[in-house]
């Protein structure tokens, strides 16, 4: 019995030592990944200044989720605070504590489309995969609008990640913003606005951060553990689209957060932004999602 106990204790001790070594190595890798330099070809886009461009920029800012992380005023917003993890978007106005003072056109483009800071390091949390396919015209409109936001006081990004999350990042099981993008893709060419599948495909780019590039849903990597898996937006088994038999029903859900049967969709969905989507964008998105071939739910 004593010999068995000694062997058991020795085994537990060895496993604990391996776990501690692995954790230490993973945390070291996390620091190295955060400090790496991501090379992005310069593609400056001249910010829009005319009334039509600024109006379009405001629409994109309000409807594409920017306010969920940066607030309606652009001064920053705390959007995850569960005790172990705290994440807040930074001030992107020109007020005190701003992170964008001195941004050149190419800096805006790299941060928004590629998830890369002006110094070449990756942004940890930035849904750039949703914005990577913005046309030059829409990017110019969005940046033009951001540059004229009234200055407010704020701070830089807040990123307090617990060791297990940082370790998963170091092991490559969670990716930062820059790692989720094919940086070699050229900017997307504009498509005419309308309730068409082509325009809906463009609008659907905003859904990929949570629902994945295939829009098949699944657990969102790096999300708090209490967040539900993203719905499968394809026509496969268990599709989240099955309750919506018309664009009207789909649009009502996007603006109210409720399914046709009255049940509430998870508040993880950015309904604060989605309610600003135009009828054209909602109708086009619905038309496109209805064309997606079946995919099993997850992997994203």
């Amino acid at each position: 019995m004593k010999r068995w106990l000694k062997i058991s204790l020795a085994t537990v001790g060895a496993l604990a030592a391996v776990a501690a070594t692995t954790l230490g190595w993973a945390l070291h890798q996390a620091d190295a990944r955060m400090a790496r330099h991501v090379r992005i070809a310069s593609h400056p886009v001249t910010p829009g200044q005319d009334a039509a461009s600024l109006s379009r920029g405001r629409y994109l800012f309000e409807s594409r989720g920017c306010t969920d992380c940066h607030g309606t005023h652009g001064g920053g917003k705390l959007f995850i605070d569960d005790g172990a993890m705290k994440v807040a978007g930074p001030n992107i106005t020109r007020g005190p504590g701003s992170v964008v003072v001195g941004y050149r056109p190419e800096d805006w483009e790299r941060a928004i489309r590629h998830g890369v800071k002006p110094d070449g390091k990756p942004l940890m949390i930035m849904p750039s995969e949703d914005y990577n396919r913005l046309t030059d015209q829409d990017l110019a409109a969005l940046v033009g609008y951001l540059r004229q936001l009234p200055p407010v006081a704020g701070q830089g990004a807040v990123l307090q990640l617990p060791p297990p999350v940082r370790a998963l990042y170091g092991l490559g099981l969670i990716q930062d913003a820059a790692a989720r993008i094919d940086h070699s893709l050229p900017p997307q060419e504009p498509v005419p606005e309308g309730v068409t599948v082509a325009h809906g495909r463009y609008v659907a780019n905003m859904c990929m951060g949570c629902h994945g590039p295939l829009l098949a849903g699944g657990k969102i990597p790096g999300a708090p553990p209490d967040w539900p898996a993203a719905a499968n937006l394809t026509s496969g088994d268990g599709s989240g689209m099955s309750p919506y038999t018309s664009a009207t029903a789909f649009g009502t859900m996007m603006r109210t957060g409720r399914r046709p049967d009255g049940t509430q969709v998870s508040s993880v969905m950015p309904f604060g932004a989605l309610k600003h989507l135009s009828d054209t964008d909602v109708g086009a998105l619905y038309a496109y999602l209805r064309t997606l071939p079946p995919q099993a739910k997850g992997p994203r």
Side-chain angles (χ1 to χ4, degrees), residues 144-203:
Y145 176 74
L146 295 175
R147 284 166 56 91
Q148 58 83 59
L149 284 173
V152 298
Q155 62 181 355
V158 175
L159 185 62
Q160 297 178 13
L161 305 178
V165 174
R166 293 182 60 239
L168 290 173
Y169 171 65
L171 293 171
L173 299 177
I174 296 175
Q175 295 180 323
D176 53 51
R180 296 193 293 265
I181 294 166
D182 181 353
H183 300 289
S184 67
L185 293 175
Q188 185 161 319
E189 291 298 318
V191 295
E193 283 192 51
V195 183
T196 64
V197 170
H199 181 59
R201 183 181 297 111
Y202 178 65
V203 176

Side-chain angles (χ1 to χ4, degrees), residues 99-278:
V99 299
V100 300
V101 172
Y103 262 36
R104 302 164 297 174
E106 55 264 41
D107 296 328
W108 284 103
E109 196 267 343
R110 285 175 177 148
I112 294 173
R113 271 189 179 147
H114 298 278
V116 176
K117 302 176 186 177
D119 64 3
K121 295 178 181 178
L123 287 161
M124 183 65 190
I125 297 180
M126 170 71 183
S128 290
E129 68 269 40
D130 291 356
Y131 308 133
N132 179 254
R133 307 307 296 144
L134 283 176
T135 63
D136 281 351
Q137 292 87 338
D138 273 352
L139 181 64
L142 177 58
V143 173
Y145 176 74
L146 295 175
R147 284 166 56 91
Q148 58 83 59
L149 284 173
V152 298
Q155 62 181 355
V158 175
L159 185 62
Q160 297 178 13
L161 305 178
V165 174
R166 293 182 60 239
L168 290 173
Y169 171 65
L171 293 171
L173 299 177
I174 296 175
Q175 295 180 323
D176 53 51
R180 296 193 293 265
I181 294 166
D182 181 353
H183 300 289
S184 67
L185 293 175
Q188 185 161 319
E189 291 298 318
V191 295
E193 283 192 51
V195 183
T196 64
V197 170
H199 181 59
R201 183 181 297 111
Y202 178 65
V203 176
N205 287 319
M206 66 179 288
C207 307
M208 292 194 299
C210 292
H211 295 275
L214 298 177
L215 300 181
K219 193 65 178 174
I220 304 170
D226 60 336
W227 281 24
N232 182 357
L233 301 184
T234 76
S235 55
D237 292 339
S239 170
M241 291 296 295
S242 57
Y244 310 106
T245 57
S246 69
T248 300
F250 180 71
T252 298
M253 179 275 295
M254 295 286 274
R255 295 193 171 94
T256 67
R258 292 191 176 277
R259 302 179 182 89
D261 63 4
T263 57
Q264 186 74 43
V265 179
S266 169
S267 59
V268 169
M269 278 276 284
F271 290 113
L274 297 177
K275 68 182 180 182
H276 292 287
L277 283 173
S278 67

